[in-house]
């Protein structure tokens, strides 16, 4: 059959029709354990009653007005996010890339306010910030940029987790206005930096009057065992972006800012027709209430350790495992070879996994995954990896 969808994804040959918690069912009634969660989106699992109820309730009342008017739920959501993050204010968008676009615009205007006509944002090699032209230009992966030149100027890339490289880049260019990084690189291969990496970036930004921008689109909303990953480091960035799990499947993005950065954008500087509409905010409020009222964020750290330990034990002695690493429920199993094939093999065994950076199995299970499901996940996956790497 001819598909009328642009072939921008290499899709697996399965279509899901229903979900509940950590389980999905395909349209032939087969059940799958979901350790991808819509790429770190459905952290509360599928068909969560609180999200379901919020979306139904709101759709009966008011779906959308416009940012030309006050939006009560947006105000409530902003208050909640500020209380949880320690930041000062929020711009609402519809996706991660859009949240990052707002962050990049803040950095550029902050530069102009300081008399820098050609502001440069430092981002990291192997980073991923989105697919819009701005965020693609920020992204440190030349493969996904191919064919889309001319890219936007105003970005320079340094190796991740490399403070001397950052210092050198700052010293070499007086146009630097910001440093932008993921607390853990997701698409880049679940790369976990040194424990004090974010603290060192904070110090550099303070010393050189740069904005510290953290892209928490994948790490945020509890996935790493804190509401935001920077809370492991007891620091505050100047700008922080979120999306993915914030709506548990209802599209919403947010760019949070603090201090000087919070005062950069003024009326007419930025906008979004849908950003922060009542439907999205209603879902996000339900997500935050459920997450913070349940202990799920703390459990993300414990569950991540459980999965890590189980996989380590089951795969001990396998010489093809380069490393098993995790920050909460962001888990990477790096092999010494490309392992994209494993996604289809696992699917055939009723398990959804992801492979990123070609050789790293990435697990992003929902935060509600239980002990029995953790056992199924780790036992099934370890057996498949043993077979595959033999
Ligand atoms: C760290 C990070 N930033 C930005 C994005 C882009 O988000 P979206 O696909 O919602 O535009 C992603 C998506 O994977 C991401 O992981």
């Amino acid at each position: 059959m001819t598909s009328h969808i642009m072939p921008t994804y290499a899709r697996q040959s399965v279509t899901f029709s229903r979900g509940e918690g950590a389980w999905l069912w395909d349209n032939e009634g087969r059940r799958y354990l979901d350790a991808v969660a819509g790429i770190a989106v459905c952290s509360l699992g599928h068909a969560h009653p609180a999200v379901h109820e919020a979306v139904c309730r709101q759709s009966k009342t008011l779906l959308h007005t416009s940012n030309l008017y006050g939006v009560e739920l947006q105000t409530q959501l902003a208050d909640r996010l500020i209380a949880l993050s320690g930041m000062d204010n929020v711009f609402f968008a519809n996706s991660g890339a859009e949240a990052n676009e707002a962050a990049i615009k803040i950095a550029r205007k902050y530069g102009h306010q300081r008399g820098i006509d050609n502001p440069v944002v430092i981002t990291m090699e192997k980073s991923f910030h989105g697919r819009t032209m701005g965020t693609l230009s920020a992204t440190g992966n030349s493969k996904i940029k191919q064919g889309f030149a001319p890219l936007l100027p105003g970005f320079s890339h340094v190796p991740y987790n490399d403070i001397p490289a950052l210092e050198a880049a700052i010293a070499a260019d007086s146009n630097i206005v910001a440093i932008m990084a993921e607390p853990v690189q997701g698409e880049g291969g679940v790369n976990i930096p040194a424990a004090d990496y974010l603290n060192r970036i904070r110090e550099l930004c303070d010393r050189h009057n740069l904005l510290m921008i953290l892209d928490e689109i994948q790490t945020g909303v509890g996935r790493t065992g804190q509401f935001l990953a920077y809370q492991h480091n007891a620091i505050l960035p100047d700008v922080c972006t979120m999306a993915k799990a914030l709506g548990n499947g209802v599209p919403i993005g947010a760019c949070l800012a603090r201090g000087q950065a919070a005062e950069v954008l003024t009326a007419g500087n930025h906008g979004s027709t849908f950003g922060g509409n009542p439907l999205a905010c209603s879902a996000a409020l339900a997500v935050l209430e459920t997450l913070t009222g349940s202990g799920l964020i703390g459990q993300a750290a414990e569950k991540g350790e459980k999965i890590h330990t189980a996989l380590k034990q089951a795969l001990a002695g396998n010489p093809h495992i380069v490393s098993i690493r995790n920050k909460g429920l962001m888990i990477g199993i790096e092999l010494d070879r490309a392992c994209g094939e494993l996604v289809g093999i696992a699917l055939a065994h009723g398990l959804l996994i992801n492979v990123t950076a070609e050789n790293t199995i990435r697990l992003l299970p929902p935060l509600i995954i239980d002990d029995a499901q953790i056992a199924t996940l780790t036992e099934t996956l370890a057996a498949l990896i043993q077979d595959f790497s033999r």
Side-chain angles (χ1 to χ4, degrees), residues 39 94-98 100 128-131 182 184 186-187 215-219 241 243-244 362:
I39 323 184
N94 310 289
S95 66
E98 282 183 56
N100 281 340
F128 183 78
H129 298 296
R131 301 278 193 166
E182 296 154 87
V184 173
E187 304 305 302
D215 177 341
E216 292 249 17
I217 285 156
Q218 196 159 140
T219 51
T241 55
K244 288 197 182 277
R362 177 174 50 161

Side-chain angles (χ1 to χ4, degrees), residues 6-328:
M6 278 195 201
T8 59
Y9 287 93
R11 295 176 197 264
Q12 296 297 315
S13 55
V14 66
T15 304
F16 300 108
S17 52
R18 170 168 88 83
E20 193 181 319
W23 298 108
L24 281 168
W25 283 264
D26 69 16
N27 50 14
E28 278 154 26
R30 263 198 85 201
R31 190 176 79 154
Y32 301 79
L33 181 60
D34 184 3
V36 177
I39 323 184
V41 168
C42 303
S43 286
L44 296 179
H46 301 285
H48 191 282
V51 181
H52 161 89
E53 200 275 325
V55 169
C56 288
R57 177 173 20 91
Q58 195 54 40
S59 68
K60 278 189 202 158
T61 318
L62 190 64
L63 282 179
H64 181 85
T65 49
S66 159
N67 286 311
L68 295 173
Y69 314 106
V71 181
E72 174 58 28
L73 292 174
Q74 198 182 106
T75 308
Q76 286 179 25
L77 180 59
D79 289 351
R80 205 65 199 100
L81 284 173
I82 291 320
L84 287 166
S85 66
M87 303 293 281
D88 287 340
N89 61 16
V90 190
F91 174 83
F92 286 109
N94 310 289
S95 66
E98 282 183 56
N100 281 340
E101 286 287 345
I104 293 164
K105 283 179 77 172
I106 290 174
R108 286 188 166 195
K109 194 173 168 206
Y110 169 82
H112 285 282
Q113 287 172 339
R114 294 172 54 208
I116 297 173
D117 292 334
N118 292 297
V120 173
V121 177
I122 300 180
T123 68
M124 306 303 151
E125 291 172 8
K126 299 189 183 168
S127 62
F128 183 78
H129 298 296
R131 301 278 193 166
T132 59
M133 286 312 300
T135 58
L136 186 64
S137 305
T139 290
N141 173 348
S142 52
K143 223 166 108 184
I144 68 168
K145 297 183 180 189
Q146 254 168 37
F148 300 110
L151 294 165
L152 263 64
F155 296 98
S156 75
H157 298 91
V158 302
Y160 190 58
N161 195 22
D162 186 338
I163 293 294
L166 264 178
E167 285 169 339
I170 295 166
D173 188 349
S174 58
N175 289 326
I176 306 288
V177 293
I179 299 173
M180 179 169 184
E182 296 154 87
V184 173
Q185 289 187 329
E187 304 305 302
V190 192
N191 302 320
I192 303 169
D196 68 347
Y197 182 55
L198 298 187
N199 304 77
R200 303 286 302 278
I201 293 182
R202 180 68 273 171
E203 283 162 23
L204 278 178
C205 287
D206 288 342
R207 195 174 323 138
H208 298 279
N209 276 324
L210 311 177
L211 295 185
M212 177 176 186
I213 304 174
L214 289 180
D215 177 341
E216 292 249 17
I217 285 156
Q218 196 159 140
T219 51
V221 201
R223 177 146 297 274
T224 71
Q226 290 281 353
F227 181 64
L228 287 150
Y230 64 73
Q231 291 166 333
H232 291 286
N233 295 74
I235 52 136
L236 287 172
D238 300 294
V239 179
C240 159
T241 55
M242 306 166 69
K244 288 197 182 277
L246 187 54
N248 208 61
V250 177
I252 182 166
C255 173
L256 285 66
R258 187 180 64 88
Q260 268 181 288
E263 291 167 16
V264 170
L265 295 182
T266 54
N269 275 176
H270 199 41
S272 164
T273 294
F274 293 126
N277 87 1
L279 181 72
C281 290
S282 169
L285 279 162
V287 167
L288 296 184
E289 196 180 317
T290 307
L291 264 184
T292 54
S294 60
L296 275 171
I297 296 176
Q299 288 168 30
E302 293 158 26
K303 290 174 182 180
E305 282 319 305
K306 248 183 218 168
I307 294 173
H308 185 169
T309 306
L311 288 173
K312 239 183 165 146
Q313 279 169 0
L315 295 169
N318 182 328
H320 304 292
I321 306 292
V322 175
S323 136
I324 303 175
R325 46 187 186 257
N326 80 298
K327 186 105 181 165

